[in-house]
């Protein structure tokens, strides 16, 4: 997954960061505008979900792993629940 940021005062986007998942990323979601914290959730073909705070890109470890591919992820409107 690549994180892009719009360059200040320009019409172009620059790559800010690359998150190496070492697996095919099948799904991702970002919290909506009502959420208290901006979060990124990814799901891979190997069954691993990863949760990142967009402010500093720190990863929160999730307790479980799926036995199959994660084909979809989502957040609640408030950003306090993810599936």
């Amino acid at each position: 997954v690549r994180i892009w940021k719009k360059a200040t005062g320009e019409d172009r986007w620059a790559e800010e960061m690359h998150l190496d998942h070492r697996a095919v990323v099948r799904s991702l979601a970002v919290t909506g505008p009502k959420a208290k914290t901006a979060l990124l959730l990814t799901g891979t073909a190997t069954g691993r979900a990863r949760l990142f705070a967009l402010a500093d890109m720190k990863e929160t470890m999730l307790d479980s792993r799926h036995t199959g591919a994660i084909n979809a992820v989502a957040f609640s409107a408030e950003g306090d629940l993810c599936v």
Side-chain angles (χ1 to χ4, degrees):
V1 172
R2 295 178 191 271
I3 308 296
W4 298 80
K5 185 175 184 178
K6 190 169 184 180
T8 305
E10 297 186 29
D11 289 333
R12 66 179 187 83
W13 291 77
E15 185 175 333
E16 182 87 1
M17 179 178 291
H18 178 252
L19 303 173
D20 186 8
H21 283 67
R22 299 184 183 171
V24 174
V25 175
R26 305 277 304 259
S27 56
L28 66 86
V30 177
T31 52
K34 292 182 180 180
K36 293 178 184 174
T37 305
L39 301 171
L40 167 68
L41 177 65
T42 61
T44 69
T46 60
R48 183 171 183 206
R50 295 176 73 184
L51 182 64
F52 299 91
L54 288 173
D56 56 12
M57 295 312 296
K58 286 189 179 179
E59 182 175 2
T60 298
M61 298 305 292
L62 302 175
D63 291 336
S64 63
R65 185 178 182 130
H66 290 259
T67 57
I70 300 174
N71 296 312
V73 294
F75 283 102
S76 64
E78 294 78 22
D80 57 353
L81 177 70
C82 62
V83 294

